[in-house]
Amino acid sequence: MLNIVPSSEEKKKLKKTVKEFLSKFKDSRDIKFFLGGSYAKDTYLPGNRDIDVFVKFNFSKYKDEDISSVLYVMLRKKYKEVHVVHGSRDYFHIVIDDIIFEVVPVLDVKKASLAVNVMDVSPLHVKYVKKRLKRKDDVRKLKALLKAQHLYGAESHLQGFSGYVCELLVSHYGSFNKVVKKFSSVKDSLFLDPAKHYSSSGIALKLLNKSKLGAFVLIDPVQAEGNAAAGVSSLKLK
């Protein structure tokens, strides 16, 4: 049987490397380092080499500042090699012991409606999943299955399921088996609203931005106007 749970040795190594990275920086009143991604939610598969770190900037103080530039200066004081990745807001890659730290500047918002950039919502996703997800290994099973079927990955060239979508599905249905059973009967489309933001799918589909609609609509629990599964193509849904 495929091993989907990282070994204690692998977990120990990752924990040590993460601790060493975070020790380079000290949280302050205005800037805080926050672990994200599958590592923070403990849903990562063996062989994981990516660690997401969100650097949360005080909203009131930095909302009009270029926080990417501020973060770059901070990182360069500690590391010689800081790779810039261009996106809706520039973020950074730092490689330590073959592990890639993806360091993302975000404004510290308490609710999605205050977000200035889509990245600002990501820490809210982490908090939501950590609070509600009970069966972490079931998420690992789902990820492994989707990877084996070439259905995993939300990048535009893959148009598959993201890690966040996998976490929401297991949290919503309660187990890996129930997710698989549900999807075995899905035909052309699927609508889910885990946080019950809308009274009906019809109302939601009328109010949502048409560009966010697709074969699979999964209303983001922390952002009512967002479709967490917008990147899943109709082909990958089937």
Side-chain angles (χ1 to χ4, degrees), residues 134-224:
K134 307 300 181 185
R135 303 175 69 104
K136 298 173 183 178
D137 286 350
D138 277 27
V139 174
R140 290 184 166 101
K141 287 181 184 178
L142 183 56
K143 287 183 176 181
L145 173 64
L146 292 171
K147 281 192 171 185
Q149 300 298 321
H150 307 291
L151 301 174
Y152 186 76
E155 294 85 346
S156 58
H157 66 285
L158 297 174
Q159 296 185 317
F161 293 71
S162 68
Y164 181 48
V165 167
C166 291
E167 291 154 357
L168 290 180
L169 288 174
V170 171
S171 175
H172 178 66
Y173 287 113
S175 71
F176 167 79
N177 289 336
K178 289 180 179 179
V179 173
V180 172
K181 183 178 180 180
K182 175 62 182 178
F183 274 78
S184 66
S185 63
V186 171
K187 294 183 179 180
D188 298 320
S189 63
L190 178 63
F191 175 91
L192 292 175
D193 184 6
K196 294 181 170 47
H197 286 299
Y198 301 94
S199 58
S200 71
S201 60
I203 290 176
L205 296 176
K206 284 182 180 179
L207 295 175
L208 286 172
N209 187 314
K210 301 303 179 185
S211 66
K212 297 179 180 179
L213 300 180
F216 185 10
V217 176
L218 173 54
I219 303 298
D220 192 332
V222 303
Q223 193 173 25

Coordinates of all heavy atoms in Angstrom, one line a residue, residues 134-224:
K134 N -10.7 17.4 10.7 CA -10.4 16.3 11.7 C -9.5 15.2 11.1 O -8.7 14.6 11.8 CB -11.7 15.8 12.3 CG -12.6 16.8 12.8 CD -12.0 17.6 14.0 CE -13.0 18.6 14.5 NZ -12.4 19.5 15.5
R135 N -9.8 14.8 9.9 CA -9.2 13.6 9.3 C -8.1 14.0 8.3 O -8.3 14.0 7.1 CB -10.3 12.8 8.7 CG -11.4 12.3 9.7 CD -12.5 11.6 9.0 NE -12.1 10.3 8.5 CZ -12.4 9.1 9.1 NH1 -13.1 9.1 10.2 NH2 -12.0 8.0 8.6
K136 N -7.0 14.4 8.8 CA -5.9 14.9 8.0 C -5.4 13.8 7.0 O -5.0 14.1 5.9 CB -4.8 15.4 8.9 CG -5.2 16.6 9.7 CD -4.1 17.0 10.7 CE -4.6 18.1 11.6 NZ -3.6 18.5 12.6
D137 N -5.3 12.6 7.5 CA -4.8 11.5 6.6 C -5.7 11.2 5.5 O -5.3 10.7 4.4 CB -4.5 10.2 7.4 CG -3.2 10.4 8.3 OD1 -2.5 11.3 8.1 OD2 -3.0 9.5 9.1
D138 N -7.0 11.5 5.7 CA -8.0 11.3 4.6 C -7.7 12.3 3.5 O -7.9 12.1 2.3 CB -9.4 11.5 5.1 CG -9.9 10.2 5.7 OD1 -9.1 9.4 6.2 OD2 -11.1 10.0 5.7
V139 N -7.2 13.5 3.9 CA -6.8 14.5 2.9 C -5.6 14.0 2.1 O -5.6 14.1 0.9 CB -6.5 15.9 3.5 CG1 -5.9 16.8 2.5 CG2 -7.7 16.5 4.2
R140 N -4.7 13.4 2.8 CA -3.5 12.8 2.1 C -4.0 11.7 1.2 O -3.4 11.6 0.0 CB -2.6 12.2 3.2 CG -1.9 13.3 4.0 CD -0.9 12.6 5.0 NE 0.0 13.6 5.6 CZ -0.1 14.1 6.8 NH1 -1.1 13.7 7.6 NH2 0.8 14.9 7.2
K141 N -4.9 10.9 1.5 CA -5.4 9.8 0.6 C -6.0 10.4 -0.6 O -5.8 10.0 -1.7 CB -6.5 9.0 1.3 CG -6.0 8.1 2.4 CD -7.2 7.3 3.0 CE -6.8 6.4 4.2 NZ -7.9 5.7 4.8
L142 N -6.8 11.5 -0.4 CA -7.4 12.2 -1.6 C -6.4 12.8 -2.5 O -6.5 12.7 -3.7 CB -8.4 13.2 -1.1 CG -9.2 14.0 -2.2 CD1 -10.0 13.0 -3.0 CD2 -10.2 15.0 -1.5
K143 N -5.4 13.4 -1.9 CA -4.3 14.0 -2.7 C -3.6 13.0 -3.5 O -3.3 13.1 -4.7 CB -3.3 14.8 -1.8 CG -3.9 16.1 -1.3 CD -2.8 16.8 -0.5 CE -3.2 18.2 0.0 NZ -2.1 18.8 0.8
A144 N -3.3 11.9 -2.9 CA -2.5 10.8 -3.5 C -3.3 10.2 -4.7 O -2.8 9.9 -5.7 CB -2.2 9.7 -2.5
L145 N -4.6 10.0 -4.4 CA -5.5 9.5 -5.5 C -5.6 10.4 -6.7 O -5.4 10.0 -7.8 CB -6.9 9.2 -4.9 CG -8.0 8.8 -5.9 CD1 -7.6 7.5 -6.6 CD2 -9.4 8.8 -5.3
L146 N -5.8 11.7 -6.4 CA -5.8 12.7 -7.5 C -4.5 12.8 -8.2 O -4.5 12.9 -9.5 CB -6.3 14.0 -6.9 CG -7.7 14.1 -6.4 CD1 -7.9 15.4 -5.6 CD2 -8.7 14.0 -7.5
K147 N -3.4 12.7 -7.5 CA -2.1 12.8 -8.2 C -1.9 11.6 -9.1 O -1.4 11.7 -10.2 CB -1.0 12.8 -7.2 CG -0.8 14.2 -6.5 CD 0.5 14.2 -5.7 CE 0.9 15.6 -5.3 NZ 2.2 15.8 -4.6
A148 N -2.3 10.4 -8.7 CA -2.2 9.2 -9.4 C -3.0 9.3 -10.7 O -2.7 8.7 -11.8 CB -2.6 8.0 -8.6
Q149 N -4.1 10.0 -10.7 CA -5.0 10.1 -11.8 C -4.8 11.4 -12.6 O -5.6 11.8 -13.5 CB -6.5 10.1 -11.3 CG -6.9 8.9 -10.6 CD -6.8 7.6 -11.5 OE1 -7.2 7.7 -12.6 NE2 -6.4 6.5 -10.9
H150 N -3.7 12.1 -12.3 CA -3.3 13.4 -12.9 C -4.5 14.4 -12.8 O -4.7 15.2 -13.8 CB -3.0 13.1 -14.4 CG -2.0 12.1 -14.6 ND1 -0.6 12.2 -14.2 CD2 -2.1 10.8 -15.1 CE1 0.0 11.1 -14.5 NE2 -0.8 10.3 -15.0
L151 N -5.1 14.5 -11.6 CA -6.2 15.4 -11.4 C -5.8 16.4 -10.3 O -6.6 17.3 -10.0 CB -7.4 14.7 -11.0 CG -8.0 13.6 -11.9 CD1 -9.1 12.8 -11.3 CD2 -8.4 14.3 -13.2
Y152 N -4.6 16.4 -9.8 CA -4.2 17.3 -8.7 C -3.4 18.5 -9.3 O -2.5 18.3 -10.1 CB -3.4 16.5 -7.7 CG -3.0 17.3 -6.5 CD1 -4.0 17.5 -5.5 CD2 -1.7 17.8 -6.3 CE1 -3.7 18.3 -4.3 CE2 -1.5 18.6 -5.1 CZ -2.4 18.8 -4.2 OH -2.1 19.5 -3.1
G153 N -3.6 19.6 -8.7 CA -2.9 20.8 -9.1 C -3.8 21.9 -9.7 O -4.4 21.6 -10.7
A154 N -3.8 23.0 -9.1 CA -4.7 24.1 -9.6 C -4.1 25.0 -10.6 O -4.8 26.0 -11.1 CB -5.2 24.9 -8.4
E155 N -2.8 24.8 -11.0 CA -2.2 25.7 -11.9 C -3.0 25.7 -13.3 O -3.6 24.7 -13.6 CB -0.8 25.2 -12.2 CG 0.2 25.4 -11.0 CD 0.1 24.2 -10.1 OE1 -0.9 23.3 -10.2 OE2 1.0 24.0 -9.2
S156 N -2.9 26.8 -14.0 CA -3.7 26.9 -15.2 C -3.5 25.8 -16.2 O -4.4 25.4 -17.0 CB -3.5 28.3 -15.8 OG -2.1 28.4 -16.2
H157 N -2.3 25.3 -16.3 CA -2.0 24.2 -17.3 C -2.5 22.8 -16.8 O -2.5 21.9 -17.6 CB -0.5 24.2 -17.6 CG 0.4 23.8 -16.5 ND1 0.7 24.6 -15.4 CD2 1.0 22.6 -16.2 CE1 1.5 24.0 -14.6 NE2 1.7 22.7 -15.0
L158 N -2.8 22.7 -15.5 CA -3.3 21.5 -15.0 C -4.8 21.4 -14.8 O -5.5 20.4 -15.0 CB -2.6 21.2 -13.6 CG -1.1 21.0 -13.6 CD1 -0.6 20.9 -12.2 CD2 -0.8 19.7 -14.4
Q159 N -5.4 22.6 -14.3 CA -6.8 22.7 -14.1 C -7.4 21.6 -13.3 O -8.5 21.1 -13.6 CB -7.5 22.8 -15.5 CG -7.1 24.0 -16.4 CD -7.9 24.1 -17.6 OE1 -8.1 23.1 -18.3 NE2 -8.3 25.3 -18.0
G160 N -6.7 21.3 -12.2 CA -7.1 20.2 -11.3 C -7.5 20.7 -9.9 O -7.8 21.9 -9.8
F161 N -7.5 19.8 -9.0 CA -7.9 20.1 -7.6 C -6.7 20.7 -6.8 O -5.6 20.1 -6.8 CB -8.4 18.9 -7.0 CG -9.7 18.4 -7.5 CD1 -9.8 17.8 -8.8 CD2 -10.9 18.5 -6.8 CE1 -10.9 17.3 -9.3 CE2 -12.1 18.0 -7.3 CZ -12.1 17.4 -8.6
S162 N -6.9 21.7 -6.1 CA -5.9 22.3 -5.2 C -5.9 21.6 -3.9 O -6.8 20.9 -3.5 CB -6.1 23.8 -5.0 OG -7.3 24.0 -4.2
G163 N -4.8 21.8 -3.1 CA -4.8 21.2 -1.8 C -5.9 21.7 -0.9 O -6.5 21.0 -0.1
Y164 N -6.2 23.0 -1.1 CA -7.3 23.7 -0.3 C -8.6 23.0 -0.6 O -9.4 22.8 0.3 CB -7.3 25.2 -0.5 CG -8.3 26.0 0.2 CD1 -8.5 25.8 1.6 CD2 -9.1 26.9 -0.4 CE1 -9.4 26.6 2.3 CE2 -10.1 27.6 0.3 CZ -10.2 27.5 1.6 OH -11.2 28.2 2.3
V165 N -8.9 22.8 -1.9 CA -10.1 22.1 -2.3 C -10.2 20.7 -1.6 O -11.3 20.3 -1.1 CB -10.2 22.1 -3.8 CG1 -11.4 21.1 -4.2 CG2 -10.5 23.5 -4.4
C166 N -9.1 20.0 -1.7 CA -9.1 18.7 -1.0 C -9.5 18.7 0.4 O -10.2 17.9 1.0 CB -7.7 18.0 -1.2 SG -7.3 17.6 -2.9
E167 N -8.9 19.7 1.1 CA -9.1 19.9 2.6 C -10.6 20.2 2.8 O -11.2 19.7 3.8 CB -8.2 20.9 3.1 CG -6.7 20.5 3.1 CD -5.7 21.6 3.1 OE1 -6.1 22.8 2.9 OE2 -4.5 21.3 3.1
L168 N -11.1 21.1 2.0 CA -12.5 21.5 2.1 C -13.5 20.3 1.9 O -14.5 20.1 2.6 CB -12.9 22.6 1.2 CG -12.2 24.0 1.5 CD1 -12.7 25.0 0.5 CD2 -12.6 24.5 2.9
L169 N -13.2 19.5 0.9 CA -14.0 18.4 0.6 C -14.0 17.4 1.7 O -15.1 16.9 2.1 CB -13.5 17.7 -0.7 CG -13.8 18.5 -2.0 CD1 -13.1 17.8 -3.2 CD2 -15.3 18.6 -2.3
V170 N -12.9 17.0 2.3 CA -12.8 16.1 3.4 C -13.5 16.6 4.6 O -14.3 15.9 5.3 CB -11.4 15.6 3.7 CG1 -11.3 14.8 5.0 CG2 -10.8 14.9 2.5
S171 N -13.3 17.9 4.8 CA -13.9 18.6 6.0 C -15.5 18.6 5.8 O -16.2 18.3 6.8 CB -13.4 20.0 6.1 OG -14.1 20.7 7.1
H172 N -15.9 18.8 4.6 CA -17.3 19.0 4.3 C -18.1 17.6 4.4 O -19.1 17.5 5.0 CB -17.6 19.6 3.0 CG -19.0 19.7 2.6 ND1 -19.9 20.6 3.2 CD2 -19.7 19.1 1.6 CE1 -21.1 20.5 2.7 NE2 -21.0 19.6 1.7
Y173 N -17.5 16.6 3.7 CA -18.2 15.3 3.6 C -17.8 14.4 4.8 O -18.6 13.5 5.1 CB -17.8 14.6 2.3 CG -18.5 15.2 1.1 CD1 -17.8 15.9 0.1 CD2 -19.9 15.2 1.0 CE1 -18.4 16.4 -1.0 CE2 -20.5 15.7 -0.1 CZ -19.8 16.4 -1.1 OH -20.4 16.9 -2.2
G174 N -16.7 14.7 5.5 CA -16.4 13.9 6.7 C -15.3 12.8 6.6 O -14.7 12.4 7.5
S175 N -15.1 12.4 5.3 CA -14.1 11.3 5.2 C -13.7 11.2 3.7 O -14.4 11.6 2.8 CB -14.6 10.0 5.7 OG -15.6 9.4 4.8
F176 N -12.6 10.5 3.5 CA -12.1 10.2 2.1 C -13.1 9.4 1.3 O -13.5 9.6 0.2 CB -10.8 9.5 2.2 CG -10.4 8.8 0.9 CD1 -9.8 9.6 -0.1 CD2 -10.5 7.4 0.7 CE1 -9.4 9.0 -1.3 CE2 -10.1 6.9 -0.5 CZ -9.6 7.6 -1.5
N177 N -13.7 8.3 2.0 CA -14.6 7.4 1.3 C -15.9 8.1 0.9 O -16.4 7.9 -0.2 CB -15.0 6.3 2.3 CG -13.8 5.3 2.5 OD1 -13.0 5.2 1.6 ND2 -13.9 4.6 3.6
K178 N -16.3 9.1 1.7 CA -17.6 9.8 1.4 C -17.3 10.8 0.2 O -18.2 11.0 -0.6 CB -18.1 10.5 2.6 CG -18.7 9.6 3.6 CD -19.2 10.4 4.9 CE -19.8 9.5 5.9 NZ -20.3 10.2 7.1
V179 N -16.1 11.3 0.2 CA -15.8 12.2 -1.0 C -15.8 11.4 -2.3 O -16.4 11.8 -3.3 CB -14.4 12.9 -0.8 CG1 -14.0 13.6 -2.0 CG2 -14.4 13.8 0.4
V180 N -15.1 10.2 -2.2 CA -15.0 9.4 -3.4 C -16.4 8.9 -3.9 O -16.7 8.9 -5.1 CB -14.1 8.2 -3.2 CG1 -14.2 7.2 -4.3 CG2 -12.7 8.6 -2.9
K181 N -17.2 8.5 -2.9 CA -18.6 8.1 -3.2 C -19.4 9.2 -3.9 O -20.1 9.0 -4.9 CB -19.3 7.6 -2.0 CG -20.7 7.1 -2.2 CD -21.3 6.6 -0.9 CE -22.7 6.1 -1.2 NZ -23.4 5.6 0.1
K182 N -19.3 10.4 -3.4 CA -20.0 11.6 -3.9 C -19.5 11.9 -5.3 O -20.4 12.0 -6.3 CB -19.8 12.8 -3.1 CG -20.4 14.1 -3.6 CD -21.9 14.0 -3.8 CE -22.5 15.3 -4.4 NZ -24.0 15.2 -4.6
F183 N -18.2 11.9 -5.6 CA -17.7 12.2 -6.9 C -17.9 11.1 -7.9 O -17.9 11.4 -9.1 CB -16.2 12.6 -6.8 CG -16.1 14.1 -6.5 CD1 -16.2 14.5 -5.2 CD2 -15.8 15.0 -7.5 CE1 -16.0 15.8 -4.8 CE2 -15.6 16.3 -7.1 CZ -15.8 16.8 -5.8
S184 N -18.2 9.9 -7.5 CA -18.4 8.8 -8.4 C -19.8 9.0 -9.1 O -20.1 8.4 -10.1 CB -18.4 7.5 -7.7 OG -19.5 7.4 -6.7
S185 N -20.7 9.8 -8.5 CA -22.0 10.1 -9.0 C -22.1 11.4 -9.7 O -23.2 11.8 -10.2 CB -23.1 9.9 -7.9 OG -22.9 10.8 -6.9
V186 N -21.1 12.2 -9.6 CA -21.2 13.6 -10.2 C -21.1 13.4 -11.8 O -20.4 12.7 -12.3 CB -19.9 14.4 -9.8 CG1 -19.9 15.7 -10.6 CG2 -20.1 14.8 -8.3
K187 N -22.0 14.2 -12.4 CA -22.1 14.1 -13.9 C -21.5 15.3 -14.5 O -20.3 15.3 -14.9 CB -23.6 13.9 -14.3 CG -24.1 12.6 -13.8 CD -25.6 12.4 -14.3 CE -26.1 11.0 -13.9 NZ -27.5 10.8 -14.3
D188 N -22.2 16.4 -14.7 CA -21.7 17.5 -15.4 C -21.3 18.7 -14.5 O -20.5 19.6 -14.9 CB -22.8 18.0 -16.4 CG -23.1 17.0 -17.4 OD1 -22.2 16.3 -17.9 OD2 -24.3 16.9 -17.8
S189 N -21.9 18.8 -13.3 CA -21.6 19.9 -12.4 C -21.8 19.6 -11.0 O -22.4 18.6 -10.6 CB -22.4 21.1 -12.8 OG -23.8 20.8 -12.6
L190 N -21.2 20.4 -10.1 CA -21.4 20.2 -8.7 C -21.3 21.6 -8.0 O -20.5 22.4 -8.3 CB -20.2 19.4 -8.1 CG -20.2 19.1 -6.6 CD1 -21.5 18.3 -6.2 CD2 -19.0 18.3 -6.2
F191 N -22.2 21.8 -7.1 CA -22.3 23.1 -6.3 C -22.2 22.7 -4.8 O -23.0 21.9 -4.3 CB -23.6 23.8 -6.6 CG -23.7 25.1 -5.7 CD1 -23.2 26.3 -6.2 CD2 -24.3 25.0 -4.5 CE1 -23.3 27.4 -5.4 CE2 -24.4 26.2 -3.7 CZ -23.9 27.4 -4.1
L192 N -21.3 23.4 -4.1 CA -21.1 23.2 -2.7 C -21.0 24.5 -2.0 O -20.3 25.4 -2.5 CB -19.9 22.3 -2.3 CG -19.9 20.8 -2.8 CD1 -18.6 20.2 -2.5 CD2 -21.1 20.1 -2.1
D193 N -21.6 24.6 -0.8 CA -21.5 25.9 0.0 C -21.3 25.4 1.4 O -22.3 25.5 2.2 CB -22.7 26.7 -0.2 CG -22.6 28.1 0.5 OD1 -21.6 28.4 1.0 OD2 -23.7 28.8 0.5
P194 N -20.1 25.0 1.8 CA -19.9 24.4 3.2 C -20.3 25.4 4.3 O -20.8 24.9 5.3 CB -18.4 24.2 3.2 CG -18.0 24.0 1.7 CD -18.9 25.0 1.0
A195 N -20.1 26.7 4.1 CA -20.4 27.6 5.2 C -21.8 28.2 5.1 O -22.2 29.0 5.9 CB -19.3 28.7 5.2
K196 N -22.5 27.7 4.1 CA -23.9 28.1 3.9 C -24.0 29.7 3.8 O -24.8 30.3 4.5 CB -24.8 27.6 5.0 CG -24.9 26.1 5.0 CD -25.9 25.6 6.1 CE -26.2 24.1 5.9 NZ -25.1 23.2 5.6
H197 N -23.2 30.2 2.9 CA -23.3 31.7 2.7 C -24.6 32.1 2.0 O -25.1 33.2 2.1 CB -22.1 32.1 1.8 CG -20.8 32.2 2.6 ND1 -20.6 33.0 3.7 CD2 -19.6 31.5 2.4 CE1 -19.3 32.8 4.1 NE2 -18.7 31.9 3.4
Y198 N -25.1 31.1 1.2 CA -26.3 31.4 0.4 C -27.4 30.5 0.7 O -27.2 29.4 1.1 CB -26.0 31.3 -1.1 CG -24.9 32.2 -1.6 CD1 -23.5 31.8 -1.6 CD2 -25.1 33.5 -1.9 CE1 -22.5 32.6 -2.0 CE2 -24.1 34.4 -2.4 CZ -22.8 33.9 -2.4 OH -21.8 34.8 -2.8
S199 N -28.7 31.0 0.5 CA -29.8 30.2 0.9 C -30.1 29.1 -0.2 O -30.8 28.1 0.1 CB -31.1 31.1 1.0 OG -31.3 31.8 -0.1
S200 N -29.6 29.3 -1.4 CA -29.7 28.3 -2.4 C -28.6 28.4 -3.5 O -28.0 29.5 -3.6 CB -31.1 28.4 -3.1 OG -31.1 29.6 -3.9
S201 N -28.4 27.4 -4.3 CA -27.4 27.4 -5.3 C -27.9 28.4 -6.4 O -27.0 29.1 -7.0 CB -27.2 26.1 -5.9 OG -28.5 25.6 -6.5
G202 N -29.2 28.5 -6.6 CA -29.7 29.4 -7.7 C -29.3 30.9 -7.4 O -28.9 31.6 -8.2
I203 N -29.5 31.3 -6.1 CA -29.2 32.6 -5.7 C -27.7 32.9 -5.8 O -27.2 33.9 -6.3 CB -29.7 32.9 -4.3 CG1 -31.2 32.9 -4.2 CG2 -29.1 34.2 -3.7 CD1 -31.8 33.1 -2.8
A204 N -26.9 31.9 -5.4 CA -25.4 32.1 -5.4 C -25.0 32.2 -6.8 O -24.1 33.1 -7.1 CB -24.8 30.8 -4.8
L205 N -25.5 31.4 -7.8 CA -25.0 31.5 -9.1 C -25.4 32.8 -9.8 O -24.8 33.2 -10.8 CB -25.6 30.3 -9.9 CG -25.1 28.9 -9.4 CD1 -25.7 27.8 -10.2 CD2 -23.5 28.8 -9.6
K206 N -26.5 33.4 -9.4 CA -26.9 34.7 -9.9 C -26.0 35.8 -9.4 O -25.8 36.8 -10.1 CB -28.4 35.0 -9.5 CG -29.4 34.2 -10.3 CD -30.8 34.6 -9.9 CE -31.9 33.8 -10.7 NZ -33.3 34.1 -10.2
L207 N -25.6 35.7 -8.2 CA -24.8 36.8 -7.5 C -23.3 36.7 -7.8 O -22.6 37.7 -7.8 CB -25.0 36.8 -6.0 CG -26.5 37.1 -5.6 CD1 -26.6 37.0 -4.0 CD2 -26.9 38.5 -6.0
L208 N -22.8 35.5 -8.0 CA -21.4 35.4 -8.3 C -20.9 35.9 -9.6 O -21.7 35.9 -10.6 CB -21.0 33.9 -8.2 CG -21.0 33.2 -6.8 CD1 -20.7 31.7 -7.0 CD2 -19.9 33.9 -5.9
N209 N -19.7 36.4 -9.6 CA -19.1 36.9 -10.9 C -19.0 35.7 -11.8 O -18.5 34.7 -11.5 CB -17.7 37.5 -10.5 CG -17.0 38.1 -11.7 OD1 -17.1 37.6 -12.9 ND2 -16.4 39.3 -11.5
K210 N -19.5 35.9 -13.0 CA -19.6 34.9 -14.0 C -18.2 34.3 -14.3 O -18.1 33.1 -14.7 CB -20.2 35.4 -15.3 CG -21.6 35.9 -15.1 CD -22.5 34.9 -14.5 CE -23.9 35.4 -14.3 NZ -24.8 34.5 -13.6
S211 N -17.1 35.1 -14.2 CA -15.8 34.6 -14.5 C -15.3 33.6 -13.5 O -14.4 32.8 -13.7 CB -14.8 35.8 -14.5 OG -14.7 36.4 -13.2
K212 N -16.0 33.5 -12.3 CA -15.6 32.6 -11.3 C -16.4 31.3 -11.3 O -16.2 30.4 -10.5 CB -15.8 33.2 -9.9 CG -14.9 34.5 -9.7 CD -15.1 35.1 -8.3 CE -14.2 36.3 -8.1 NZ -14.4 37.0 -6.8
L213 N -17.3 31.2 -12.2 CA -18.2 30.0 -12.3 C -17.6 29.0 -13.2 O -16.8 29.3 -14.1 CB -19.6 30.4 -12.8 CG -20.4 31.4 -12.0 CD1 -21.7 31.7 -12.6 CD2 -20.5 30.9 -10.5
G214 N -17.9 27.8 -13.0 CA -17.5 26.7 -13.8 C -18.3 25.4 -13.5 O -19.3 25.5 -12.9
A215 N -17.8 24.3 -14.0 CA -18.5 23.0 -13.7 C -18.5 22.7 -12.2 O -19.5 22.1 -11.7 CB -17.8 21.9 -14.4
F216 N -17.5 23.1 -11.5 CA -17.5 22.9 -10.0 C -17.4 24.2 -9.3 O -16.5 25.0 -9.4 CB -16.2 22.1 -9.7 CG -16.1 21.6 -8.3 CD1 -17.1 21.8 -7.4 CD2 -14.9 21.1 -7.8 CE1 -17.0 21.4 -6.1 CE2 -14.8 20.7 -6.5 CZ -15.8 20.8 -5.6
V217 N -18.5 24.5 -8.6 CA -18.6 25.7 -7.7 C -18.5 25.3 -6.3 O -19.4 24.6 -5.8 CB -19.9 26.5 -8.0 CG1 -19.9 27.7 -7.1 CG2 -19.9 27.0 -9.5
L218 N -17.4 25.7 -5.6 CA -17.2 25.4 -4.2 C -17.1 26.8 -3.5 O -16.0 27.4 -3.6 CB -16.0 24.6 -4.0 CG -15.5 24.3 -2.6 CD1 -16.6 23.7 -1.7 CD2 -14.3 23.3 -2.6
I219 N -18.1 27.3 -2.9 CA -18.1 28.6 -2.3 C -17.1 28.6 -1.2 O -17.1 27.8 -0.3 CB -19.5 29.0 -1.7 CG1 -20.6 28.9 -2.8 CG2 -19.4 30.4 -1.1 CD1 -20.3 29.9 -4.0
D220 N -16.1 29.5 -1.3 CA -15.1 29.6 -0.3 C -15.7 30.0 1.1 O -16.3 31.0 1.2 CB -14.1 30.7 -0.7 CG -12.8 30.7 0.1 OD1 -12.8 30.3 1.3 OD2 -11.8 31.1 -0.5
P221 N -15.5 29.2 2.1 CA -16.0 29.4 3.4 C -15.7 30.8 4.0 O -16.4 31.3 4.8 CB -15.5 28.3 4.2 CG -15.2 27.2 3.3 CD -14.7 27.9 2.0
V222 N -14.5 31.3 3.6 CA -14.0 32.5 4.2 C -14.3 33.7 3.3 O -14.0 34.9 3.7 CB -12.5 32.5 4.7 CG1 -12.3 31.3 5.6 CG2 -11.6 32.4 3.4
Q223 N -14.8 33.5 2.1 CA -15.0 34.5 1.2 C -16.2 34.2 0.3 O -16.1 33.5 -0.7 CB -13.7 34.7 0.3 CG -13.7 35.9 -0.5 CD -12.3 36.1 -1.2 OE1 -11.6 35.1 -1.4 NE2 -11.9 37.3 -1.5
A224 N -17.4 34.7 0.7 CA -18.6 34.3 0.0 C -18.7 34.5 -1.5 O -19.3 33.8 -2.2 CB -19.8 35.0 0.7

